[in-house]
Amino acid sequence: MPRYCWIALGQKLGARTGNYMPSRRHNRPPLSYRDSGVDIDAGNALVEAIKPLAKATRRAGADADLGGFGALFDLKAAGFKDPILVAANDGVGTKLKIAIETGRHETIGIDLVAMCVNDLLAQGAEPLFFLDYLATGRLDVDVARTIIAGIAEGCRQAGCALIGGETAEMPGMYAGEDYDLAGFAVGAVERSQILPRADIAVDDLLIGLPSSGVHSNGYSLVRRLVAEENLGWDAPAPFASQVSLAEALLMPTRIYVKPVLRAIRETGGVKALAHITGGGLSENLPRVLPEGIAAHIDLATWKAPAVFGWLMRAGNLDDAEMLRTFNCGIGLVAVVARSEADEVIRVLEAAGEAPIVIGQVERGRGVKSQAKGKGAAEAVRYSGCLTSQGEVPP
């Protein structure tokens, strides 16, 4: 329609006359999206680069093809009969800063997956699929591919499909090479097998599975102590001199899914699982115990990895602070009937785990403490003292 027709129509509708569009060009050259800091071509190149990584995580129920507006999952093909879906999301926290400052991005994606799928496992769920969110100020395709390769490896360890994600290039939101990660996982459990069970009772045993180190919680304190000790990331770790400090602290979070699902399914003896993350044993274990029931943990039953001894010394931290901040060497705790414990331990050991009986369930004494996300609950009772492996220099 000619311009004068638009003006006439506007007048009939009561609009003021005037120019509705610029009548001449700006003097400045045109701007593209890339000029503003967003490179669409780099984003497309990344999608093509990660398609084989996602494809390698295929499993029953998902083909892990990328490119659609949404991703599909077939629960029937995955073998479920009466499933309940379980969802979890998480991030990696300031452990990311070590990866960014050292340029070591290979394993941070494993941490991202672990933090989500271990939470699903605590409900008895099998992880089915995973989606990631990567946000950065400037997209570096090589760095992003390395990060997502780690995510794909984490999915492989957990047996879930990487079926999609989002990469957001947001100039002005993140400085320099900074980026952030978030993960989203969905799993399923048969209705009759949801954890925790209702039959947790006094005298049940607590079986701990070792952590690989700090995992992905408490890194704001870790980084503060590194700075106060004037340590460089490339320097030998003061608790493991054969590796650099960065390498030691970037040890990825363990993924417990496959051995623990095997123990659940083969023994039927696992009543509850607690993923030991932020809040440590003190705040996470009470989350899975019923009212009036408490956990008693004997700290002498294991030695924490040497990094925890260094953290205690460098921060002058007592046992109580350690136990509500870090995992202290135990990444997952199973509540198991005493009569089933030997069989559960046997299956876990056959699957490559090193389970430790760290305590038992007892009647609560009315002493309350905060349970993460639950409020006041029966406090964990500790006996013994935390000890760590190896010698930490003064």
Side-chain angles (χ1 to χ4, degrees):
M1 182 183 293
R3 180 173 178 272
Y4 66 86
C5 293
W6 283 111
I7 295 174
L9 177 60
Q11 289 172 335
K12 286 183 180 180
L13 295 175
R16 292 182 297 173
T17 59
N19 290 332
Y20 294 90
M21 295 289 289
S23 59
R24 58 189 176 85
R25 298 176 182 274
H26 291 291
N27 291 326
R28 64 171 180 257
L31 290 175
S32 68
Y33 207 10
R34 178 179 291 181
D35 293 327
S36 70
V38 179
D39 191 339
I40 296 174
D41 293 332
N44 292 336
L46 176 61
V47 171
E48 292 304 313
I50 65 176
K51 279 183 177 179
L53 301 175
K55 198 74 172 178
T57 68
R58 286 177 298 182
R59 54 152 293 155
D63 58 16
D65 281 331
L66 303 182
F69 287 98
L72 306 178
F73 192 92
D74 186 344
L75 281 168
K76 184 179 290 187
F80 288 90
K81 297 178 176 62
D82 184 24
I84 298 294
L85 293 179
V86 184
N89 77 292
D90 213 330
V92 184
T94 59
K95 187 174 186 177
L96 282 175
K97 291 294 289 182
I98 303 177
I100 293 165
E101 291 171 10
T102 63
R104 294 172 175 264
H105 310 283
E106 292 80 6
T107 59
I108 206 73
I110 299 175
D111 289 299
L112 184 67
V113 176
M115 294 302 292
C116 297
V117 298
N118 288 339
D119 280 354
L120 297 182
L121 183 62
Q123 305 292 150
E126 173 188 341
L128 302 177
F129 57 85
F130 189 87
L131 300 99
D132 69 276
Y133 175 77
L134 167 61
T136 184
R138 184 185 66 82
L139 180 60
D140 183 316
V141 174
D142 291 336
V143 169
R145 186 193 180 282
T146 300
I147 294 166
I148 295 170
I151 293 172
E153 170 58 21
C155 288
R156 186 195 65 78
Q157 292 182 25
C160 63
L162 177 58
I163 62 172
E166 167 69 6
T167 302
E169 189 173 23
M170 299 186 288
M173 288 288 289
Y174 296 89
E177 305 301 316
D178 284 354
Y179 61 85
D180 198 8
L181 291 174
F184 309 85
V186 172
V189 57
E190 296 291 355
R191 190 181 304 269
S192 62
Q193 297 173 3
I194 296 172
L195 298 181
R197 286 170 21 187
D199 61 342
I200 297 172
V202 171
D203 208 39
D204 286 345
L205 294 183
L206 303 174
I207 298 175
L209 299 184
S211 68
S212 58
V214 185
H215 280 185
S216 297
N217 294 100
Y219 273 84
S220 294
L221 177 54
V222 171
R223 291 169 49 249
R224 170 72 179 270
L225 295 177
V226 168
E228 292 197 353
E229 295 282 298
N230 293 314
L231 297 173
W233 296 125
D234 291 331
F239 48 87
S241 58
Q242 70 276 16
V243 297
S244 71
L245 182 59
E247 185 178 353
L249 292 177
L250 287 172
M251 181 74 67
T253 306
R254 293 197 61 216
I255 293 175
Y256 299 98
V257 170
K258 290 182 179 179
V260 173
L261 282 179
R262 178 175 167 184
I264 292 172
R265 291 166 177 170
E266 292 187 13
T267 71
V270 177
K271 295 184 177 185
L273 294 166
H275 182 202
I276 310 305
T277 56
L281 286 159
S282 296
E283 291 197 10
N284 284 289
L285 193 46
R287 297 169 71 180
V288 303
L289 299 179
E291 186 70 25
I293 296 293
H296 175 207
I297 293 179
D298 182 357
L299 297 174
T301 55
W302 81 95
K303 287 185 179 293
V307 60
F308 295 106
W310 174 75
L311 289 168
M312 288 185 74
R313 182 199 63 78
N316 193 26
L317 306 175
D318 60 20
D319 283 3
E321 185 67 17
M322 290 291 296
L323 290 161
R324 71 186 299 264
T325 305
F326 302 110
N327 65 63
C328 295
I330 300 295
L332 194 80
V333 177
V335 181
V336 178
R338 186 177 291 270
S339 60
E340 304 278 357
D342 287 345
E343 181 63 9
V344 170
I345 289 171
R346 184 193 67 78
V347 173
L348 287 170
E349 288 177 339
E353 282 293 339
I356 309 161
V357 176
I358 63 170
Q360 64 185 44
V361 173
E362 64 181 19
R363 197 172 308 281
R365 302 182 176 197
V367 180
K368 303 290 186 177
S369 67
Q370 284 299 115
K372 189 176 178 182
K374 186 177 179 179
E378 293 286 344
V380 177
R381 185 166 71 92
Y382 296 101
S383 57
C385 297
L386 277 175
T387 57
S388 64
Q389 303 165 7
E391 293 293 325
V392 178

